[in-house]
Amino acid sequence: QVQLVESGGGLVQAGGSLRLSCVASGSIFSLNGMGWYRQAPGKQRDMVAVISSAGTTTYADSVKGRFTISRDNAKNTVYLQMNSLKPEDTAVYYCKERLPVGSEYWGQGTQVTVSS
């Protein structure tokens, strides 16, 4: 079975940095698209950043220039480096994996809280 486990969330001051990790198992990781999404209380779950199997990246406008998504296929891991964090970045961050056949899987989420 496909399983995704996020880690690295926590409490950080505005302007600080945090790196999220997502370890995947049960899939051929190198073939799959990966993404980070976030959901704040009372809000819709939105795309933050995605990276294709070829390494092509896409970012939400709100995080461009501050966040970087990357992947290490040898470790079956996708990362989200978050710099210059703002209180509005506070949310539960979820890892998503998309298989070439179109199936999608989600991790359990990790809480990121940015204080002012």
Side-chain angles (χ1 to χ4, degrees):
Q1 73 289 345
V2 174
Q3 187 174 45
L4 304 171
V5 180
E6 302 101 327
S7 62
L11 176 65
V12 66
Q13 293 180 336
S17 298
L18 212 56
R19 189 177 77 157
L20 306 183
S21 299
C22 172
V23 179
S25 61
S27 67
I28 306 175
F29 180 81
S30 63
L31 300 179
N32 302 334
M34 302 297 300
W36 287 99
Y37 294 70
R38 67 186 181 188
Q39 187 168 23
K43 299 291 179 62
Q44 191 177 64
R45 187 177 299 186
D46 294 325
M47 186 272 286
V48 176
V50 296
I51 184 166
S52 73
S53 60
T56 302
T57 58
T58 304
Y59 297 92
D61 288 341
S62 59
V63 306
K64 284 181 180 176
R66 299 190 297 121
F67 291 9
T68 302
I69 188 171
S70 62
R71 64 193 298 161
D72 185 340
N73 290 340
K75 296 181 178 179
N76 287 357
T77 302
V78 63
Y79 303 96
L80 185 67
Q81 179 66 47
M82 305 185 293
N83 298 326
S84 302
L85 282 162
K86 305 174 181 179
E88 50 262 47
D89 295 319
T90 295
V92 177
Y93 284 70
Y94 297 90
C95 178
K96 187 180 81 171
E97 182 171 28
R98 191 174 196 272
L99 277 59
V101 296
S103 301
E104 296 181 343
Y105 300 89
W106 294 89
Q108 84 288 350
T110 184
Q111 176 71 46
V112 172
T113 302
V114 184
S115 65
S116 59

